[in-house]
Amino acid sequence: MIFALAEPATAGTVGGFATEYMWVVPLLPFLSAAIIGFFGSKMGGKEHYVGIFAIGAGLVMSLIAFAQLAGGNAAVEASYTWFRLDDSFELEFGMNYDFLTGVMFVVVTTISLLVHIYSTGYMHGDKRYTWFYAALSLFTGSMLFLVIANNLMQMFVGWELVGVCSYFLIGHYWEESPNSSAAIKAFITTRIGDVGFLFGIFVLFVATGTFDIIEINHLAEEGELSGSIATIGALLLFCGAVGKSAQVPLHVWLPDAMAGPTPVSALIHAATMVVAGVYLVARMFILFEHAGSALNVVAIVASITMLIAAALALVQDDIKRVLAYSTVSQLAYMMAALGVGAYTAGVFHLFTHAFFKALLFLGAGSIIHSVHSNNMSDMGGLRKHMPHTFKTFIIGSLALAGIFPLAGFFSKDEIVGEAFRAASEETQITAVIVFVSAIITAFLTALYMTRACIKTFFGEYRGHGTPHESPPSMVVPLWILAGASLSMGLLGFPVIGPFADWINVPGETRHGFETFYNIVLPLASVVIALVAIWLGWLLFYQNRRPVDILSTRFAWVYRLLENKYYLDDIYMGGIVRPVQYPLAAFAYWTNQHILDGIVNGTAHATVGAGRGVYGVIDQHVVDAGVNGAAGLTGFSGGLLRYIQTGNVQRYAAFLFIAIAAFVALFGLT
């Protein structure tokens, strides 16, 4: 194996100072994790300052570098040869900082910084406070490392680090069985998708001879990658995206992941791990676009996911599970946008969703911190006791519902508009499916968020004790995120919003905001959301329910939703238990009764034949060697014990004798 270090290859003209050194941004949280992990216990509960400083510095660098890109500086790609095997295989380690990376860096560092600050209040007094902040920093660094990777193998390393960190954070309270089970479920479920991702990397490497993302996209665009190979590679990569971004059928891990601390839920489900799959498809978009029906598969899977997840959110009592299913549904919105070719709209929704979904999760954490329960049946009337949490949560809910002029309105309606354009102009059947699914999902989103707000903040308080507003360390991040939820959508305002100029597929311009965008479509979308809010008010506040659904022939629909389409039961009964009991038990029995029997039988036969050669070798050679080494160590240690007396004069005498012996030895030679 030949190891070689090469000079970095930078694409385009030289970028600004910050863009050249963006590799420092993921390095900072890695260093923070190491410092907190090794020395945090000696910091007297102040270890969070290390993480806050590291992420804060990363945010400042990210904003400066993004401003440099927006000001005209070129994107930067730099790579070093990590190792080279002869001339046939080369693995690089590098960075690719462009607008897509820049947007992700700003989102990840912003949300992570606010979560770090928020956690000082929420996690105060936790017995694993130091470990929590170390894992939080490691998680952030892993996500940034994934985003900045310029090749698929390096991205996969970051991808797996994110998965491991999520396992640690979801299972933070591992003493309780549901929490540890949720962590294991998340880890194993996402690993299933990761197997496909890894095979996809291998397929593309064999076909192209490189892991470089830009090069693979370029070869696909130029037609140098055959259609069937491109399709297989893209679909295998999409398997990883299905696992990480919780798309059907691997979405089952995400709602259970709510067992982790609420700040973890906000970070994982708003800006980091769950959007990694969307980022992967966006980063490899040119490959997907030239990979036959790959984008159609993405669109269909996303359409199914957004509908079933939105329906499940309607019947949840746990406020964090409502938001979890909402996250699954909104991730499907992003995937659906990419599936119909709306690259910019999909990335813009990723951007806006990070702010209002983080706001909602942290708002839910503020509520749970006050009432000590996740269940909305234990809440009610909290708007009187928690005015800041109430106002910010309403802002986040309206943004999620797509009400003008909040952030969700612009990004969600851009996806709906792109799907409508593709359906009407290009007559794509998948675009028709996406458009219809997106409209129905928009209605359901407004309905379930209205239900959540009413059950949480209106009526009479149904819990125990006296609720109270959260401390400033938790309230201030809520208002910052509320401000972002109110304003960030303006970046995507048609014609005057700059977001479309920032985000484009490299080398192409037709994926910007060219959607059919007139007053009718967004107005209709807002009307649909308002009708859903009005209907939710009638059903869940004024209790105007003409019939009890459980007493009708449609009761099966409610039970189907209540049991999450029985998918968990199917997986447990059809996969987990058959592997766990018949197969695993058979393997264990085989090991005990057959393999051990053969080994023991052979040994007994050998011993019966006069102890045999093997017995002699085992007892008199192997055992003698092991025991002899142990005896020699003990003997030499016993001798050294007499030398190590602590007497300085004796040490000086030994030193003098040793020097004299060396002088005599060298003199004789």
Side-chain angles (χ1 to χ4, degrees):
M1 184 177 293
I2 301 172
F3 291 87
L5 184 64
E7 290 296 319
T10 303
T13 58
V14 177
F17 178 80
T19 55
E20 293 285 339
Y21 290 94
M22 287 309 290
W23 54 268
V24 174
V25 177
L27 179 62
L28 288 172
F30 281 136
L31 292 175
S32 168
I35 293 171
I36 295 173
F38 286 110
F39 307 107
S41 60
K42 304 181 185 301
M43 294 181 183
K46 305 296 183 182
E47 52 268 37
H48 54 263
Y49 286 117
V50 178
I52 291 172
F53 174 79
I55 306 301
L59 173 59
V60 171
M61 284 193 66
S62 299
L63 291 172
I64 293 173
F66 192 84
Q68 289 180 345
L69 283 180
N73 288 101
V76 175
E77 185 194 15
S79 60
Y80 294 88
T81 300
W82 184 16
F83 70 85
R84 184 184 297 115
L85 180 60
D86 299 326
D87 293 325
S88 59
F89 180 78
E90 182 175 283
L91 189 60
E92 294 182 338
F93 177 85
M95 59 172 276
N96 177 26
Y97 187 80
D98 57 8
F99 271 117
L100 179 58
T101 308
V103 167
M104 291 297 298
F105 266 45
V106 171
V107 168
V108 172
T109 53
T110 300
I111 303 302
S112 181
L113 177 61
L114 294 175
V115 168
H116 272 71
I117 296 171
Y118 179 95
S119 299
T120 60
Y122 190 90
M123 300 298 292
H124 179 72
D126 189 271
K127 62 182 178 181
R128 282 189 287 272
Y129 189 78
T130 299
W131 165 246
F132 175 82
Y133 269 96
L136 210 60
S137 291
L138 184 61
F139 185 92
T140 304
S142 301
M143 184 65 192
L144 294 170
F145 183 78
L146 181 160
V147 169
I148 204 172
N150 73 331
N151 65 82
L152 288 173
M153 192 56 71
Q154 182 181 336
M155 179 184 285
F156 187 75
V157 173
W159 189 277
E160 292 303 303
L161 283 173
V162 167
V164 171
C165 292
S166 69
Y167 169 77
F168 293 147
L169 290 168
I170 293 170
H172 182 75
Y173 303 118
W174 53 265
E175 296 90 346
E176 300 176 22
S177 179
N179 300 338
S180 59
S181 297
I184 294 171
K185 184 177 182 179
F187 187 80
I188 293 177
T189 305
T190 54
R191 291 294 80 68
I192 293 171
D194 293 352
V195 172
F197 184 15
L198 188 59
F199 277 113
I201 294 174
F202 293 156
V203 167
L204 293 173
F205 176 76
V206 170
T208 64
T210 181
F211 294 113
D212 187 88
I213 292 171
I214 294 177
E215 182 65 19
I216 292 172
N217 278 328
H218 175 72
L219 293 173
E221 187 177 24
E222 295 297 319
E224 297 182 27
L225 192 60
S226 69
S228 58
I229 293 297
T231 301
I232 293 171
L235 291 178
L236 286 171
L237 293 184
F238 183 59
C239 290
V242 167
K244 275 289 191 289
S245 291
Q247 302 295 286
V248 168
L250 299 181
H251 67 286
V252 294
W253 68 268
L254 195 146
D256 289 350
M258 296 300 103
T262 300
V264 171
S265 302
L267 187 60
I268 290 178
H269 302 142
T272 51
M273 178 175 168
V274 293
V275 300
V278 179
Y279 173 78
L280 171 63
V281 177
R283 177 56 74 191
M284 305 299 298
F285 184 76
I286 295 177
L287 170 67
F288 276 84
E289 192 177 35
H290 293 83
S293 59
L295 282 183
N296 290 335
V297 174
V298 172
I300 295 299
V301 170
S303 298
I304 296 171
T305 303
M306 69 171 73
L307 281 174
I308 68 170
L312 287 172
L314 275 172
V315 300
Q316 303 301 313
D317 187 44
D318 186 324
I319 188 171
K320 288 176 66 177
R321 282 183 174 266
V322 173
L323 299 178
Y325 283 115
S326 171
T327 299
V328 175
S329 184
Q330 296 304 306
L331 290 168
Y333 252 103
M334 303 170 203
M335 286 291 193
L338 297 172
V340 296
Y343 173 88
T344 307
V347 176
F348 187 47
H349 195 54
L350 183 157
F351 176 76
T352 60
H353 174 265
F355 296 105
F356 57 73
K357 186 53 62 68
L359 169 60
L360 290 170
F361 268 114
L362 294 184
S366 177
I367 295 165
I368 295 168
H369 185 265
S370 175
V371 304
H372 305 290
S373 174
N374 287 27
N375 297 327
M376 294 185 291
S377 55
D378 295 330
M379 301 174 188
L382 295 180
R383 73 183 191 277
K384 306 171 187 175
H385 305 280
M386 308 179 69
H388 293 289
T389 302
F390 166 66
K391 293 172 185 176
T392 54
F393 197 91
I394 292 297
I395 290 172
S397 300
L398 293 175
L400 176 59
I403 302 299
F404 180 85
L406 283 82
F409 166 79
F410 294 99
S411 57
K412 183 202 72 175
D413 280 0
E414 189 57 41
I415 295 171
V416 174
E418 283 281 6
F420 182 85
R421 178 192 61 78
S424 59
E425 296 179 6
E426 303 176 18
T427 62
Q428 296 181 15
I429 186 62
T430 53
V432 175
I433 295 172
V434 169
F435 176 74
V436 173
S437 299
I439 291 295
I440 297 173
T441 301
F443 176 85
L444 294 175
T445 301
L447 184 61
Y448 67 66
M449 286 312 300
T450 302
R451 172 179 175 267
C453 290
I454 289 172
K455 294 191 71 173
T456 303
F457 295 106
F458 293 86
E460 298 298 323
Y461 180 59
R462 299 178 293 274
H464 302 284
T466 303
H468 56 83
E469 187 58 272
S470 298
S473 61
M474 297 171 65
V475 169
V476 170
L478 294 180
W479 277 112
I480 293 174
L481 289 168
S485 300
L486 285 166
S487 60
M488 288 300 174
L490 299 176
L491 294 175
F493 200 95
V495 182
I496 63 172
F499 197 89
D501 298 326
W502 295 339
I503 300 295
N504 281 295
V505 178
E508 299 189 16
T509 58
R510 66 184 185 84
H511 295 287
F513 280 88
E514 298 179 1
T515 183
F516 171 80
Y517 200 103
N518 58 30
I519 193 63
V520 176
L521 197 59
L523 181 62
S525 179
V526 172
V527 169
I528 289 172
L530 291 175
V531 169
I533 293 173
W534 172 74
L535 181 62
W537 183 265
L538 293 180
L539 290 176
F540 305 115
Y541 185 72
Q542 298 187 1
N543 293 317
R544 295 185 185 179
R545 304 180 188 180
V547 293
D548 181 6
I549 190 172
L550 292 178
S551 62
T552 68
R553 61 180 179 178
F554 297 105
W556 66 272
V557 177
Y558 184 86
R559 294 194 181 94
L560 183 67
L561 295 177
E562 192 175 37
N563 289 282
K564 299 173 286 188
Y565 308 108
Y566 298 98
L567 283 175
D568 282 330
D569 297 326
I570 292 172
Y571 289 155
M572 286 298 295
I575 299 175
V576 177
R577 289 197 181 96
V579 170
Q580 187 177 8
Y581 296 107
L583 293 179
F586 176 74
Y588 180 72
W589 181 89
T590 301
N591 179 65
Q592 277 195 322
H593 295 86
I594 298 179
L595 296 180
D596 285 354
I598 293 173
V599 173
N600 294 332
T602 303
H604 287 309
T606 302
V607 172
R611 304 186 68 86
V613 176
Y614 296 114
V616 171
I617 293 175
D618 179 63
Q619 285 193 348
H620 298 285
V621 178
V622 178
D623 284 355
V626 173
N627 295 333
L632 179 61
T633 302
F635 175 73
S636 59
L639 292 178
L640 291 173
R641 182 179 62 184
Y642 294 105
I643 299 175
Q644 300 293 330
T645 61
N647 189 308
V648 178
Q649 291 84 353
R650 184 173 296 181
Y651 290 163
F654 285 143
L655 179 61
F656 177 77
I657 293 171
I659 293 174
F662 276 112
V663 170
L665 179 63
F666 284 109
L668 291 174
T669 57

